[in-house]
Amino acid sequence: EAGVAQSPRYKIIEKRQSVAFWCNPISGHATLYWYQQILGQGPKLLIQFQNNGVVDDSQLPKDRFSAERLKGVDSTLKIQPAKLEDSAVYLCASSLDRVGTEAFFGQGTRLTVV
Amino acid sequence: AQSVTQPDIHITVSEGASLELRCNYSYGATPYLFWYVQSPGQGLQLLLKYFSGDTLVQGIKGFEAEFKRSQSSFNLRKPSVHWSDAAEYFCAVADTSGTYKYIFGTGTRLKVLA
């Protein structure tokens, strides 16, 4: 079974530029999550999709971050414009939404804003 | 609201020694509980999970965890640590009301001395 795929693995941009991350979840997983992990901290949930719909985006900085999930499968997370404090690893995860299952994580995209 | 506390930011043990990583959670009902491990530059890998039943759960790589409802704890243990166990460990709680929202602790970084 293929895992959660993310690209790119690394990205360096200047502040005020824009950037986009892509995630392909495990086939059949209804729920997709984007987490932000700042160095030395635990992952923080940015947005959670169930199929096409948003379940939770309470911690997404909506003035600069946006996310979409096309046809309930792939997802993109965009930052525009980026700030220095956005430097972090962005993790995508997916789950089956069934009792007894867990979230599976991709390897993440490390973003550095200079 | 859900929350997870990992009181130890760093732990250092000698190879072959026993290990216990602490996790306390806050949740109104019986939660789903997880321990994940993250090696440098890698995504999160599931070590074990608890949903119901036996409060002592076994995981991969020789790890186990015990759910104690009275203490709102889910501590991770290993009888004999190997140098390859050096990594960051995250405790997580997932909502059981149907949203499957995962909240992570801040992590415990484990260092193993040869």
Side-chain angles (χ1 to χ4, degrees):
Chain A
E1 176 182 85
V4 176
Q6 290 188 248
S7 68
R9 286 296 310 277
Y10 305 92
K11 190 75 176 178
I12 301 174
I13 62 172
E14 295 183 350
K15 58 184 179 183
R16 292 187 289 275
Q17 285 187 323
S18 63
V19 65
F21 312 128
W22 173 82
C23 173
N24 181 239
I26 293 172
S27 177
H29 282 195
T31 295
L32 184 148
Y33 313 81
W34 282 103
Y35 285 86
Q36 179 193 57
Q37 186 177 20
I38 293 172
L39 186 65
Q41 298 182 19
K44 182 182 83 171
L45 180 66
L46 291 177
I47 189 167
Q48 177 183 346
F49 293 95
Q50 195 160 37
N51 296 309
N52 287 342
V54 175
V55 174
D56 188 322
D57 64 356
S58 57
Q59 297 197 84
L60 186 74
K62 298 181 185 64
D63 57 333
R64 298 184 301 106
F65 285 64
S66 65
E68 61 179 2
R69 189 175 185 193
L70 304 173
K71 300 179 182 178
V73 182
D74 292 9
S75 178
T76 56
L77 176 69
K78 297 179 182 177
I79 308 175
Q80 182 178 12
K83 293 185 175 181
L84 296 177
E85 59 261 35
D86 298 332
S87 295
V89 175
Y90 291 85
L91 295 164
C92 180
S94 67
S95 70
L96 265 175
D97 294 352
R98 192 176 300 164
V99 174
T101 63
E102 69 273 12
F104 293 82
F105 284 80
Q107 289 193 295
T109 296
R110 180 176 297 279
L111 173 68
T112 302
V113 183
V114 297
Chain B
Q2 302 158 252
S3 68
V4 178
T5 302
Q6 292 181 249
D8 304 306
I9 298 174
H10 298 280
I11 282 186
T12 300
V13 300
S14 298
E15 190 170 21
S18 63
L19 172 70
E20 183 169 28
L21 303 182
R22 296 183 291 167
C23 172
N24 293 97
Y25 68 89
S26 174
Y27 187 67
T30 300
Y32 297 153
L33 294 162
F34 307 83
W35 275 99
Y36 283 84
V37 61
Q38 187 177 38
S39 298
Q42 301 299 311
L44 294 159
Q45 180 186 21
L46 181 73
L47 283 176
L48 47 77
K49 57 189 178 185
Y50 172 79
F51 295 99
S52 63
D54 193 345
T55 56
L56 184 64
V57 294
Q58 302 297 321
I60 62 171
K61 304 183 181 184
F63 285 92
E64 65 179 27
E66 186 171 12
F67 170 60
K68 291 185 177 180
R69 185 189 304 274
S70 62
Q71 298 177 21
S72 297
S73 69
F74 188 58
N75 294 348
L76 181 71
R77 300 193 295 248
K78 186 170 185 178
S80 178
V81 169
H82 188 263
W83 64 266
S84 60
D85 293 325
E88 188 136 26
Y89 292 78
F90 293 95
C91 182
V93 58
D95 177 83
T96 56
S97 67
T99 67
Y100 301 98
K101 179 177 176 178
Y102 291 78
I103 300 297
F104 285 82
T106 50
T108 298
R109 183 169 296 278
L110 175 65
K111 182 177 179 180
V112 180
L113 301 176

